Amino acid sequence: MDMRARPFRSVLYIPGSKPRALDKARGLPVDAVIFDLEDAVSASEKVSAREVLAQQLQQGGYGARMRIVRINGFDTKWGVADARAVAQMDCDAVLLPKVSSLADLDALAEITGDLPIWAMMETPRGMLNAAEIARHPKLQGMVMGTNDLAKELQTRFRVDRMPLMAGLGLCLLAAKAEGLVIVDGVYNAFKDAEGLAEECRQGRDMGFDGKTLIHPAQVDVANTAFAPSEDEMDLARRQIAAFDEAEAAGQGVAVVDGKIVENLHVVTAREIIAKADAIAAVSL
Ligand SMILES: CC(C)(COP(=O)(O)OP(=O)(O)OC[C@H]1O[C@@H](n2cnc3c(N)ncnc32)[C@H](O)[C@@H]1OP(=O)(O)O)[C@@H](O)C(=O)NCCC(=O)NCCSC(=O)C[C@H](O)C(=O)O
Ligand SMILES: [Mg+2]
């Protein structure tokens, strides 16, 4: 399956140690869930969280939502046992934090076998090696870890995220070159819907497939921002129709709203319609 045909507008982190939140996700309109064993779980709960999560996944009820489990890194005492446990869980993919090289993914694949892999992109070395990381045969998607990246780069917070742009851009190029899904980092101020909407808009403009989220209150904002708008769909339909008409008349170019429409624009227009159809299908 082409993963990019599937919506990833909203990707919600849920602490693997919190049964109430794990249960709540069964009713939230999110496209994917990251069941977290890493940063959202305290050291004292790391081992019990594995068990709680395995039971919740076995119970099921997550519907069409993609189920991704984030493990602790292999530089921690929990990483290897997490990977072994996830290989037995009822989930769709495993997410490795702080991926810096292809070798990190090889080490994970040795344990998790055929389970698809996602990579947290959040270290300077990961940014520099993004192109080779993206070529790993088991890799399905990238998740930006903008908190860790900001920490490693010793940046200050800026609304325009200018200090992070080089890293975000390198990962976007790498993911797009290999046809991977790529989702943007979290917006920490989970009560600030306006700020989130602005950052979602920026992420969508840049080409991200969606946004990682930390609280249910953020879901609707991300779902709206990363779905094709009515205006986009209207334009896409008119472009397709105008181009079909031009082609039937033996011409290679149409004009819509004073702008040329070539074959490549029609490819984009069809992708917009396909994305809207895919969203409609999961919203049923
Ligand atoms: C941020 C929170 C700690 C806030 O929790 P809380 O104060 O409990 O929020 P509310 O009282 O408003 O919660 C209302 C209800 O919603 C449920 N809830 C809250 N958060 C989630 C969630 N993430 N998923 C599902 N359900 C959730 C509560 O249980 C309440 O339910 P109910 O009682 O039935 O009404 C908290 O939101 C939280 O822990 N969020 C997740 C934090 C997290 O996952 N962090 C790690 C990922 S971010 C990261 O690591 C980024 C990356 O690596 C990087 O480097 O950038
Ligand atoms: Mg991180």
Side-chain angles (χ1 to χ4, degrees), residues 4 20 39 47 109 122 142 145 157 171 186 245 257-258 261 272:
R4 285 183 311 172
R20 199 176 166 89
D39 288 349
V47 174
E122 49 188 354
M142 288 182 164
F157 174 79
C171 293
V186 297
E245 208 174 295
D257 297 345
V261 178
I272 288 169

Side-chain angles (χ1 to χ4, degrees), residues 2 13 33 38 66 69 90 93 121-122 128 131 145-146 156 159-160 182 184 199-200 226 246 252 259:
D2 176 5
Y13 282 100
V33 173
E38 199 213 17
M66 171 113 179
V69 180
D90 188 9
M121 302 301 289
E122 49 188 354
L128 293 172
T146 40
R156 287 196 175 126
V159 170
D160 64 4
I182 180 163
D184 202 354
E199 199 169 283
C200 285
F226 287 93
K259 295 181 189 138

Side-chain angles (χ1 to χ4, degrees), residues 13-73:
Y13 282 100
I14 304 184
S17 54
K18 293 193 177 162
R20 199 176 166 89
L22 291 165
D23 184 44
K24 196 168 186 84
R26 294 185 170 98
L28 294 172
V30 292
D31 292 330
V33 173
I34 296 176
F35 298 100
D36 195 18
L37 296 173
E38 199 213 17
D39 288 349
V41 176
S42 67
S44 63
E45 289 183 309
K46 292 280 188 198
V47 174
S48 58
R50 257 181 235 145
E51 197 47 42
V52 169
L53 181 55
Q55 279 170 10
Q56 292 283 334
L57 285 168
Q58 202 175 5
Q59 267 179 38
Y62 291 102
R65 300 165 191 85
M66 171 113 179
R67 300 156 306 167
I68 304 167
V69 180
R70 181 168 77 167
I71 63 171
N72 289 282

Side-chain angles (χ1 to χ4, degrees), residues 88-108:
Q88 306 301 321
M89 285 182 199
D90 188 9
C91 62
D92 301 306
V94 55
L95 172 62
L96 186 66
K98 301 177 182 67
V99 174
S100 289
S101 71
L102 206 57
D104 294 342
L105 300 186
D106 282 338
L108 177 60

Side-chain angles (χ1 to χ4, degrees), residues 145-180:
T146 40
N147 281 299
D148 270 304
L149 186 59
K151 167 183 162 271
E152 295 298 316
L153 296 178
Q154 297 162 310
T155 64
R156 287 196 175 126
F157 174 79
R158 283 178 55 130
V159 170
D160 64 4
R161 298 199 292 174
M162 191 273 286
L164 304 180
M165 280 301 150
L168 296 177
L170 283 169
C171 293
L172 273 162
L173 290 170
K176 301 289 173 178
E178 299 302 326
L180 301 175

